[in-house]
Structures are given as structure tokens and as C-alpha cells.
């Protein structure tokens, strides 16, 4: 969302006052809001713990009983989450690292800790009041070499905390203090590594930053721990891992390259108007494992444990599926959890394919030394098909399995996974036919695979296929029939819920004005129809639909918490969620989060964020899950199932190809149909098929020249037609004005309704870049024209919105009775 929230958006002073003990938390909860659930805080801590990724360790960790000197002002001013609508929760407390270490029983050097605490209190971080102008880092406390040496005389181990934050409307930048270390941070590492034999670096970040310094320092750094921002309990979770009271079990959901320039998206990221997705399907590890394995610092799926594991895999297969049973045995001295990862390869064929792609994964429970657990995973052959957008295999616009061998690899990261079996496809076959959607209008060159004389993979390029389908013809042949207007017959929405009338009976009563009201939210954020500080309200936004039983439906920002004027739990970032690789855990946490929504009067959580980590500089990567669509889809599905188990709604976002914050409302993502389907839509497809979210939010950007909130191909042809989605589609907050290029009598919201993007949120218009507290008349204006929007289309949108109201109505009714 582009505007400041209803709570203190630019002032995080409430989030920077740390706690010192569990007892203090109990007191704070009683003082702030006794409805906050300690059980949710506990599972949030467990999630943050499992999301921590141990990148390197020479045996220094866990800390044990060593005396530890903690350096870096982030030990006090901990970044608990990123900025913007996905992070600015009114949180009752936040643990910092210093308090967490003490809580975990670590012997901390008090002289140094006191100095950092005093200096940080006297030098509070500065936050501008301007939305999107967040600080990427906090200036470091000056410290002399002699002071570092003195600390080394009192402690035998150093922990250096380095922090980064990013956020909505602002990408990370290739400068010190954002993607790179500052000179002060480098000087601190120089001094600490010169005086301490044991140095642990904790990176407190929600997004990937440059880690090439890990190589430069070599064995002078004993361990590196990537502490994905874990919310209010995150620093305490990190401290527990450092101390050894909790197992280290997180795994990377992104490849960490040696340099930014190594990422295949680097030449085509950050441009104001157009970003060409020239890397095509070779995103993240798909590129590195195929073309540049030597440019990887830490591979996708990597993460160390304090113990060791042995995997013994057996495979059974039939013509259509392969079932793996991986017996995981803890062969070390510590308890721990392990993630079993299954990857598949494919023949090059006519399409050219990545060397490895994630197919399935599962995580064990906590295994004591010597204990074993069997993880059972299934890989379906049809799921390995590639999308042919050019007809290279002989069938265009289809999912195709090309003839050849499809090897299957099992391991604990993409690089170490070893071959255990293979599918053999004797001849090319079409798995599923589709239809061309959202294809590029303008040609560009995309990356593809070729082979050198020695058989090694080399980068080649080809021109993407461009659009051939006439959008106007597609729409005109699928316009819905109108339900004859009956006028008010006294049918209430409660009658529909009780089965006494059909939804069509209810819709038939509605006037054009009433139908248009259902196609927009209330005109402002923080609607008086919902809980204070809400993101917006839809459904019963005026007296007329409310009199017919349509309830106001309150939306609240996520995904890291319920963003209201009231206090709410601050949960781990999306990257931390995904780095757990623990689907049941995320679903359990989301169910408790849904219970908090009930207590806070939120009906729709604008979560999960699930765009692909195409490039490490994207400012909102902390809200999202991974560079991989399978991880993204399965973790998102867990969030949706958990939230909706309470009878409420989750709203995956941003649909689709939203991978940059710079000029995000105007930028055009130019992407091939193949990459769109295999990478940027696949996670959404998994989420829709596995969890049936009740709401989906479109993105701000254009996709091949069409804004997502006008994209009939995505919202109607793919989402509803191919995937069978039956829920409500809403815009991100406000839309860009535009006339329909194929139907001149449609503009703005009429154009949007034709695409079957149901609801404009929050409902008012935007003029000269500023929100206005009134709605436009574009829907009714178009309805009045002979070649304008049809009443059947507007009724279709009303049915979609009313379906959401019916799904939520028992919850809304119960809340009304309680109130």
C-alpha cells in the first residue's frame, strides 16, 4: 500500500524499546492488551528459531559457557521486521539480542554491553515521517581498537551483530549500509577478528545482503548465522540458537552468490519504466546450478546443524509417480531437525531446462542423538512438465514432458543432493493443454540453454514468442448472461445462507447502484465501518446492501501481524517462515494468528505475500518466501489453511510478477509466458489448488503492458478458468487510471470489472497521486453506454463478493452478537 498506516508509520520508538525478561513481557501484555495470546508468541518464537540459518560454523557454536563480548549496536536496536504495510504492527514488545542472550543464560561481558546500551539510548535511530524513506541501517557506535582489545581480555568469544532493513516502496541499493557493509562495520570486523580467536557474526536482515566478506575473512570468522527477521520474539530465538538451547535447523530459500553481478537478474533490475525478465525460467538456483555453480557462496537449501544426519532413501515407482522414503538418522551428539529435499532434472529437449528443480520437501521432528524418522514424499511425473510458449515441441500453449530421462536427487541442499532414481519418458507427450495468456507484445531476447562441445551447459539466447491472441474476441465470447432484474423481493443474504433462496435470487434484486457498491470498498483506509486502523472495508459499505444483510468486511494488513490501531503480535518475516521448511508449523502458527484476527475484528488478512525473490535488492523480499515457486506455494498454502481454519479469509498477494518497489505502480514486467507460468504464477497456483484462499490481491505493476488490476488473462482466463478459483479478487490500494484499449466505452473501474478484478480497494479515487474520499462513476457511466460494461459482468462481480460475505457471515454474525 502506498500511504502511511493508521498507526505510527514513521516512528518506531514503540518497537525499539527492548524487554529484559519474560516477567517483564507478562507485565507489558497485561498493561497493553490482555487479549494477546502467549501461545501465539511461543509458536512465533519456535518459528523464528527454525527460520534461523547457520551458514558456517567451525565448532564455536553453540556458545556453551564461554564469556561473550557482543559488538554492534543492532544487539540493542534490533531489526525485528522490515518496513511498510507488511511490518508496521503496533507491537507490545520486542526482544533484542542482548536481552535474549542473557535470557538464554549466556555470560555476556557487562562492561561492553552497558556501553552499547548507554550509547544507543543516547543516539536513537532517526526515522523520517515520509513513507518509503526508511533507513537501511543504523549508524554504528564508534569503538577504539584498545576497547576491543580490552573486551578480548575479559571474554574469549565475540559476537558481532550486523543489521539491515528494507521495505515497501524502497528497494535496497548497491551502496554501503544497504547491500554492502559500511566502512565502520568493516573496521569493526577487522578489529574484532584481530583480537578474538573466536568470532561469530549474526546478520539481522530480512533480505539477502552481500556476504562476500565471509570469504575475505576466511577462518578469522568462526561462524555466520543468518537471522532472518523473526518478529517480536526473533532476537530471543536467535539467542537460543547461539546458546544451544534450541536446535539450528533453518535452510536457505535463496541462493547467495559471490557478488551481486552474478545474479542473472542484475542487468535488468531497478529500471524505472521497464524490466525485461531476460533470465526467463533460469531464476536463482535454476541459473546457478545450470550455468555458474562456481559463483555460488551458499547454495539454495543450505543450512548447518549442531549435529549430523544420515539419509537412507528407498524408492518405489510406477508410470506416473515416484514415492520416496527417506530414513533420517541423527548420527551426532546434539538433538536436531533435518530437511529432506527432492530435486529433479530433465532432458534438454527443444525447450532447454534447468539442471535441477525442487519437486518436494519434508522436515523431521526433533531427533535425539541416535533417533530416526522416516519422511515420505511423492513426486508426480506430470508435475515435471515444462510450458511450451513457442511450439518448439510441436504443441504450443501446453505443458509438455519431453522425451528422455528425468533424474531424481535427494539431499539436504540443491548442491549436495545425490541421484536416487529416474523417470524415463519414451516419447514426448502433452500433459495439459492451456491457452496463450499475457504473452509479450514487444519481442526481447531471453536466456536459454545450449551445450558446448564437451557437453557443458552454456548460455544462449532466443527471441521470446509474442502475443497472437485477440483479447477482444476472447472477452466477447465469454461475457456472462444477465440475471433478469426483479427489484427488491425481500430476499436477505441470510436467506441465501440458510438455503431458503439462491444467490441469483438475491443478486436479481440489486439495482445498478447497489451492484456498483459491491464492486468497491469504502472510500478511505481506516473505515469507520471496521476496527480502528483497518486497511479498508468492502461488502456492506452503504446502508442499502447492509439492509439486505451484506456485512461490512474488514481487511487488515499483514503478513507479519495484524496492522491496526490496537496492539497485535509481530510475527516472523516471510523469509523466516519459508526458511523453516516446516509446513505444519506454519499452518499451526497461522491458525493461532487467525484466532487473534477474531479477537481484533479482522475478517481478511492481507497475507501471505508470495512474490518470487527474483533479485536480492527487492525491498519487499522480507515479506515474501523464496526464489523458488514450490517453497513459496506450499508455505503460502499453509498460511491460508491456518488462517481460514478459523472461518476468516487470507489474501495471497501480489498477483503477479511484482518483483520491484522502484516505480512500482508504473513499472512494466516484461516476461515470457513460459517464465510467467513456470516461475511467477506457479506458487499462486499451488496455493489456490491446495488451500483455496477466499481473497487474492492483484499487484501494482504492469505485466507485458497491462496493469495487473486490468488483466483479464490473469484474473479470468488463468486464475478462474484454468485453476478453478471461486473467490474474490481485490486490487492493491488504488489503481492507475486507464481506458480499455479494446473497448473504448470502458475506463478505470469498468475496465477492471471486465477483467473480473472484483473490488477496488479501499474504494476512493486517487487524484494527482493523493487519495480522495469519494468514489468515481466509471462503472455506472459505462453501464449506460450501449457498448459499455454489461450488467451481467457487474452481477458476476457481485456474486464473487457475496460469496466471500457468505463464507464469512457466521463469523461476522457471531462477532455482532458478542458486540
Amino acid at each position: 500500500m502506498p500511504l502511511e498506516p493508521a498507526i505510527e508509520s514513521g516512528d518506531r520508538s514503540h518497537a525499539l524499546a527492548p524487554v529484559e525478561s519474560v516477567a517483564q513481557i507478562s507485565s507489558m501484555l497485561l498493561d497493553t492488551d490482555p487479549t494477546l495470546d502467549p501461545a501465539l508468541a511461543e509458536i512465533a518464537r519456535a518459528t523464528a528459531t527454525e527460520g534461523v540459518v547457520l551458514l558456517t560454523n567451525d565448532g564455536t557454536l553453540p556458545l556453551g559457557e564461554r564469556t561473550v563480548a557482543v559488538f554492534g549496536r543492532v544487539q540493542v536496536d534490533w531489526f525485528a521486521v522490515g518496513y511498510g504495510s507488511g511490518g508496521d504492527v503496533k507491537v507490545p514488545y520486542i526482544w533484542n539480542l542482548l536481552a535474549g542472550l542473557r535470557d538464554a543464560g549466556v555470560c555476556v561481558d557487562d562492561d561492553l554491553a552497558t556501553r552499547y546500551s548507554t550509547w544507543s539510548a543516547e543516539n536513537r535511530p532517526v526515522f523520517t515521517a515520509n513513507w518509503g524513506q526508511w533507513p537501511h541501517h543504523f549508524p554504528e557506535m564508534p569503538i577504539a581498537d584498545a576497547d576491543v582489545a580490552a573486551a578480548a581480555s575479559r571474554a574469549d568469544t565475540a559476537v558481532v551483530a550486523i543489521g539491515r532493513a528494507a521495505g515497501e516502496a524502497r528497494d535496497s541499493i548497491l551502496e554501503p549500509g544497504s547491500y554492502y557493509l559500511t566502512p565502520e562495520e568493516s573496521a569493526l570486523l577487522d578489529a574484532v577478528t584481530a583480537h578474538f580467536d573466536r568470532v561469530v557474526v549474526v546478520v539481522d536482515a530480512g533480505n539477502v545482503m552481500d556476504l562476500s566478506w565471509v570469504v575475505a575473512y576466511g577462518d578469522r570468522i568462526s561462524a555466520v548465522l543468518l537471522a532472518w527477521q523473526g518478529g517480536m520474539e526473533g532476537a530471543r530465538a536467535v539467542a537460543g540458537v547461539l546458546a544451544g538451547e534450541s536446535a539450528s535447523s533453518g535452510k536457505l530459500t535463496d541462493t547467495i552468490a559471490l557478488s551481486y553481478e552474478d545474479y542473472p537478474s542484475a542487468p535488468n533490475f531497478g529500471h524505472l519504466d521497464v524490466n525485461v525478465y531476460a533470465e526467463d525460467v533460469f531464476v536463482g538456483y535454476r541459473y546457478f546450478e545450470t550455468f555458474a555453480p562456481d559463483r555460488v557462496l551458499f547454495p539454495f537449501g543450505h543450512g548447518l546443524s549442531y549435529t549430523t544426519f544420515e539419509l537412507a532413501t528407498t524408492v518405489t515407482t510406477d508410470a506416473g509417480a515416484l514415492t520416496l522414503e527417506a530414513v533420517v538418522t541423527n548420527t551426532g551428539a546434539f538433538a536436531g531437525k533435518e530437511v529432506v529435499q527432492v530435486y529433479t532434472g530433465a532432458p534438454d529437449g527443444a525447450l532447454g531446462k534447468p539442471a535441477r528443480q525442487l519437486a518436494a520437501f519434508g522436515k523431521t521432528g526433533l531427533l535425539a542423538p541416535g533417533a530416526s524418522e522416516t519422511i515420505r514424499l511423492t513426486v508426480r511425473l506430470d508435475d515435471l512438465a515444462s510450458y511450451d510458449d513457442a511450439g518448439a515441441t510441436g504443441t504450443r500453449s501446453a505443458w509438455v514432458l519431453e522425451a528422455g530421462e528425468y533424474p531424481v536427487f535427494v539431499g539436504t541442499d540443491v548442491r549436495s543432493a545425490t541421484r536416487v532414481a529416474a523417470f524415463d519418458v519414451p516419447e514426448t507427450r502433452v500433459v495439459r493443454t492451456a491457452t496463450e495468456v499475457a504473452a509479450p507484445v514487444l519481442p526481447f531476447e531471453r536466456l536459454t540453454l545450449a551445450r558446448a562441445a564437451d557437453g557443458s551447459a552454456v548460455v544462449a539466447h532466443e527471441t521470446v514468442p509474442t502475443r497472437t491472441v485477440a483479447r477482444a474476441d476472447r472477452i466477447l465470447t465469454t461475457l456472462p448472461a444477465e440475471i433478469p432484474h426483479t427489484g427488491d423481493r425481500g430476499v436477505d443474504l441470510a436467506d441465501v445462507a440458510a438455503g431458503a433462496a439462491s444467490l441469483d435470487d438475491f443478486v436479481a434484486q440489486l439495482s445498478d447502484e447497489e451492484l456498483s457498491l459491491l464492486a468497491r470498498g469504502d472510500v478511505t483506509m481506516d473505515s469507520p465501518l471496521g476496527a480502528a486502523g483497518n486497511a479498508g472495508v468492502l461488502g456492506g459499505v452503504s446502508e442499502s446492501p447492509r439492509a439486505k444483510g451484506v456485512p461490512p468486511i474488514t481487511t487488515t494488513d499483514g503478513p507479519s501481524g495484524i496492522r491496526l490501531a490496537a496492539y497485535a503480535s509481530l510475527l516472523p518475516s516471510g523469509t523466516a517462515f519459508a526458511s523453516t521448511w516446516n509446513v505444519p508449523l506454519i499452518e499451526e502458527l497461522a491458525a493461532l494468528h487467525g484466532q487473534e484476527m477474531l479477537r481484533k475484528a479482522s475478517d481478511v488478512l492481507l497475507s501471505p505475500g508470495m512474490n518470487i525473490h527474483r533479485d536480492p535488492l527487492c525491498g519487499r523480499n522480507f515479506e515474501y518466501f523464496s526464489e523458488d515457486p514450490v517453497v513459496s506455494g506450499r508455505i503460502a498454502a499453509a498460511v491460508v489453511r491456518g488462517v481460514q481454519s478459523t472461518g476468516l479469509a487470507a489474501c495471497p498477494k501480489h498477483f503477479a510478477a511484482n518483483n520491484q518497489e522502484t516505480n512500482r505502480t508504473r513499472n512494466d514486467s516484461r516476461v515470457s509466458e513460459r517464465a510467467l507460468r513456470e516461475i511467477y504464477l506457479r506458487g499462486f497456483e499451488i496455493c489456490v489448488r491446495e488451500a483455496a484462499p477466499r481473497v487474492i490481491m492483484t499487484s501494482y505493476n504492469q505485466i507485458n503492458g497491462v496493469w495487473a488490476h486490468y488483466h483479464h488473462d490473469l484474473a479470468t482466463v488463468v486464475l478462474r478458468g484454468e485453476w478453478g478459483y471461486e473467490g474474490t479478487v481485490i486490487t492493491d490500494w488504488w489503481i492507475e487510471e486507464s481506458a480499455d484499449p479494446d473497448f473504448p466505452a470502458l475506463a478505470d473501474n469498468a475496465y477492471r470489472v471486465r477483467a473480473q478484478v472484483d473490488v477496488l480497494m479501499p474504494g476512493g479515487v486517487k487524484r494527482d497521486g493523493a487519495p480522495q474520499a469519494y468514489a468515481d462513476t466509471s462503472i455506472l457511466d459505462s453501464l449506460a453506454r450501449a457498448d459499455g460494461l454489461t450488467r451481467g459482468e457487474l452481477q458476476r462481480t457481485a456474486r464473487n463478493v457475496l460469496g466471500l460475505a457468505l463464507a464469512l457471515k457466521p463469523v461476522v454474525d457471531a462477532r455482532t452478537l458478542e458486540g
Side-chain angles (χ1 to χ4, degrees), residues 282 290-291 345-355 386 392-393 402-407 448-452 455-458 674:
F282 294 95
T290 306
F291 300 110
D348 293 346
L351 297 178
K353 304 172 190 71
S386 301
T393 65
E402 293 197 75
E405 185 179 66
Y406 291 74
T448 189
L449 172 69
R451 294 288 174 184
S456 60
V458 294
R674 181 186 176 191

Side-chain angles (χ1 to χ4, degrees), residues 171 260 265-266 268-275 614 660 662 667:
D171 290 315
Y260 175 75
S265 59
N268 294 289
F269 179 85
H271 305 304
L272 282 177
D273 298 319
V274 172
N275 282 292
R614 174 182 177 247
Q660 174 175 307
T662 301
N667 203 273

Side-chain angles (χ1 to χ4, degrees), residues 449-532:
L449 172 69
R451 294 288 174 184
D454 63 358
S456 60
V458 294
V459 170
H461 295 88
E462 64 182 12
T463 303
V464 297
T466 52
R467 186 176 304 169
T468 66
V469 171
R471 170 180 173 270
D473 293 342
R474 171 178 282 172
I475 290 174
L476 289 173
T477 58
T478 58
L479 288 178
E482 179 181 344
I483 302 170
H485 184 220
T486 63
D488 191 348
R489 298 176 61 193
V491 178
D492 189 274
L493 195 61
D495 298 325
V496 180
S502 72
L503 186 55
D504 283 356
D505 292 335
F506 183 87
V507 172
Q509 305 176 108
L510 303 180
S511 67
D512 292 350
E513 172 68 21
E514 289 171 324
L515 290 169
S516 71
L517 288 169
L518 291 174
R520 68 163 175 84
D522 199 3
V523 291
T524 63
M525 297 178 67
D526 194 15
S527 165
L529 298 172

Side-chain angles (χ1 to χ4, degrees), residues 672-701:
S672 77
E673 189 191 356
R674 181 186 176 191
L676 186 65
R677 285 184 176 272
E678 291 190 22
I679 304 294
Y680 301 100
L681 295 183
R682 191 179 178 204
F684 284 99
E685 180 178 9
I686 291 169
C687 183
V688 167
R689 294 189 187 279
E690 293 188 0
R694 291 177 173 137
V695 187
I696 287 177
M697 181 194 293
T698 59
S699 57
Y700 280 130
N701 54 286

Side-chain angles (χ1 to χ4, degrees), residues 156-180:
D156 65 0
T157 302
V159 171
V160 181
I162 295 171
R164 289 293 183 273
E168 184 175 4
R170 187 182 192 187
D171 290 315
S172 298
I173 53 178
L174 294 173
E175 293 181 6
S178 182
Y179 191 69
Y180 298 112

Side-chain angles (χ1 to χ4, degrees), residues 221-233:
I221 292 179
S222 307
V224 179
L225 188 147
L226 192 47
W228 299 122
Q229 291 160 349
M232 63 191 189
E233 290 280 338

Side-chain angles (χ1 to χ4, degrees), residues 143 169 190 220 316 334 348 358 461 481 494 583 683 797 814:
I143 186 166
D190 287 343
R220 288 185 289 164
T316 57
F334 291 86
D348 293 346
L358 184 69
H461 295 88
V583 172
T797 280

